[in-house]
């Protein structure tokens, strides 16, 4: 099962032009996704104003995306390269599947947590901090990683003839989490509509903090929507062909799902002025540190000459 094989069949063969196009896209996703998600993580870690409940969820999601862009994508590039020669790298495919399943599970669960967190922030603003504390959220996010190891472990130990059962379990789990997301946003939008109507009746202006909460909720909704768009092809593919995890159509759906990991950082920076300012400050700080080191070295050389 874990030995590399060479077979003259569809599983280990892809067209040359198509494979080159796939790898070009994969390399682009790897670079943009890895750099983008690393910048997101560093920005949150180095900016005190961004160290809040929502940012912790974004950090968790970015780490999951890094698994995809820094491990799964390079594995896929290697896999596709050898398929040009009709060779299946079973070990590498196995690693890519395990890490990819873990990344997907963490992403969906984190999006569900973010949806509930945003819902409580809008629907129950007065008691929000009582329900959602920093300690509770961090504990939940850490435990989510332990829980999400179930999916890759099932994929590792389920026999091929029982693969349909595993796929069914995965799809039901994702469906439950998406129901949680949809219900949370249904309550959220209902609350926003009522609050907007009440303010119009009172002719009162919306507070800056409340507007920020709503903008953040819309950003989370955009991230969820993009996740759904990018992951829908492979979910549909798995539903109709659970036993056939190879072929050109399968690889394209995998690439589409992985592309989502490279898109999220651009959403954060496009939607959040705080993120953009923080990144600019970090780069300026890095440039100043570099200039100071150069000045110290130059000064040291000048002193030695004297």
């Amino acid at each position: 099962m874990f030995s590399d094989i060479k077979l003259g069949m569809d599983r280990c063969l892809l067209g040359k032009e198509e494979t080159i196009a796939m790898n070009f896209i994969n390399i682009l996703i790897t670079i943009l996704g890895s750099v983008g998600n690393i910048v997101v993580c560093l920005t949150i870690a180095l900016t005190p104003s961004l160290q809040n409940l929502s940012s912790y969820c974004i950090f968790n999601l970015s780490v999951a995306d890094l698994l995809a862009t820094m491990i799964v994508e390079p594995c896929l590039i290697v896999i596709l390269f050898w398929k040009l020669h009709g060779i299946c790298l079973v070990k590498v495919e196995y690693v890519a599947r395990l890490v990819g399943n873990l990344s997907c599970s963490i992403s969906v669960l984190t999006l569900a947590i973010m949806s509930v967190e945003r819902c409580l922030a809008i629907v129950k603003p007065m008691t929000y901090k009582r329900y959602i504390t920093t300690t509770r959220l961090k504990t939940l996010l850490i435990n989510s990683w332990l829980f999400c190891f179930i999916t890759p472990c099932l994929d590792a130990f389920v026999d091929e003839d029982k693969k349909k059962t595993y796929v069914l379990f995965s799809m039901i789990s994702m469906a439950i989490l998406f129901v949680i997301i949809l219900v949370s946003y249904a309550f959220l939008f209902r609350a926003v509509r009522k609050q907007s109507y009440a303010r119009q009746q009172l002719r009162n202006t919306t507070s800056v903090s409340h507007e920020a909460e709503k903008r953040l909720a819309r950003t989370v909704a955009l991230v969820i929507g993009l996740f759904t768009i990018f992951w829908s092809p492979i979910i549909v593919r798995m539903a109709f062909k659970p036993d056939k995890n190879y072929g050109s159509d399968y690889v394209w759906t995998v690439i589409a799902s992985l592309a989502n990991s490279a898109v999220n950082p651009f959403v954060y920076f496009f939607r959040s002025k705080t993120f953009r300012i923080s990144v600019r400050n970090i780069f300026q700080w890095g440039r100043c540190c570099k200039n100071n080191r150069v000045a110290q070295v130059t000064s040291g050389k000048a002193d030695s000459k004297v």
Side-chain angles (χ1 to χ4, degrees):
M1 177 179 178
F2 299 106
S3 59
D4 299 337
I5 55 176
K6 183 174 182 178
L7 298 170
M9 54 187 296
D10 293 339
R11 186 181 183 92
C12 300
L13 286 174
L14 287 172
K16 182 178 180 181
E17 293 79 8
E18 190 175 27
T19 304
I20 292 173
M22 288 176 176
N23 262 351
F24 175 78
I25 295 173
N26 286 327
I27 292 170
L28 195 63
I29 293 172
T30 300
I31 297 171
L32 293 177
S34 298
V35 172
N37 284 295
I38 289 173
V39 171
V40 169
C41 292
L42 287 176
T43 302
I44 294 173
L46 298 175
T47 309
S49 62
L50 284 175
Q51 293 173 8
N52 51 49
L53 298 179
S54 298
S55 293
Y56 294 144
C57 293
I58 292 174
F59 185 92
N60 202 59
L61 188 60
S62 293
V63 174
D65 287 338
L66 276 174
L67 288 178
T69 57
M70 296 188 72
I71 298 178
V72 182
E73 280 287 357
C75 286
L76 185 58
I77 292 169
V78 173
I79 290 167
L80 292 175
F81 174 79
W82 283 103
K83 282 195 175 185
L84 283 171
H85 307 284
I87 298 175
C88 279
L89 300 181
V90 180
K91 295 176 184 177
V92 183
E93 288 184 12
Y94 187 75
V95 171
R97 270 170 52 191
L98 291 186
V99 180
N101 287 336
L102 177 62
S103 175
C104 175
S105 302
I106 287 291
S107 297
V108 179
L109 189 53
T110 303
L111 291 174
I113 293 171
M114 292 173 75
S115 301
V116 174
E117 187 266 336
R118 285 295 86 205
C119 178
L120 291 175
I122 300 296
V123 177
K124 299 286 186 181
M126 304 303 294
T127 57
Y128 163 69
K129 291 185 178 180
R130 188 195 310 168
Y131 296 131
I132 307 293
T133 64
T134 301
T135 303
R136 287 179 181 176
L137 184 66
K138 286 183 177 180
T139 302
L140 183 60
L141 292 174
I142 292 171
N143 288 332
S144 69
W145 283 84
L146 300 175
F147 177 77
C148 286
F149 269 103
I150 294 175
T151 303
C153 286
L154 282 176
D155 189 25
F157 296 107
V158 169
D159 296 331
E160 290 297 323
D161 56 344
K162 298 179 181 178
K163 191 63 67 178
K164 289 182 180 180
T165 305
Y166 156 73
V167 172
L168 183 62
F169 169 81
S170 301
M171 295 187 68
I172 291 174
S173 301
M174 290 189 70
I176 292 172
L177 291 174
F178 263 93
V179 168
I180 293 173
I181 292 170
L182 293 175
V183 170
S184 297
Y185 265 87
F187 280 108
L188 188 153
F189 287 129
R190 183 183 176 187
V192 169
R193 189 182 304 164
K194 284 185 177 181
Q195 291 168 5
S196 300
Y197 179 76
R199 287 189 178 87
Q200 288 176 3
Q201 293 295 104
L202 296 172
R203 295 181 180 179
N204 193 9
T205 57
T206 306
S207 65
V208 175
S209 61
H210 189 76
E211 277 299 317
E213 294 286 358
K214 290 199 297 185
R215 182 173 178 81
L216 182 56
R218 288 193 291 268
T219 300
V220 176
L222 178 59
V223 172
I224 293 169
L226 289 172
F227 181 89
T228 306
I229 292 170
F230 280 98
W231 279 87
S232 291
I234 194 169
I235 293 172
V236 173
R237 174 67 166 64
M238 286 175 61
F240 288 98
K241 297 178 180 179
D243 298 326
K244 188 181 178 183
N245 57 350
Y246 57 89
S248 175
D249 57 337
Y250 174 77
V251 176
W252 279 116
T253 59
V254 171
I255 293 173
S257 62
L258 294 175
N260 178 244
S261 299
V263 170
N264 286 336
F266 294 97
V267 175
Y268 306 143
F269 293 118
F270 175 74
R271 295 282 301 173
S272 175
K273 185 178 180 180
T274 307
F275 261 101
R276 293 195 296 272
I277 294 174
S278 299
V279 171
R280 193 181 305 123
N281 291 337
I282 290 171
F283 279 111
Q284 287 176 350
W285 175 78
R287 194 179 300 115
C288 289
C289 290
K290 182 179 179 181
N291 291 336
N292 289 336
R293 286 196 297 269
V294 172
Q296 289 174 0
V297 171
T298 305
S299 177
K301 288 181 178 178
D303 293 339
S304 63
K305 289 180 180 179
V306 173

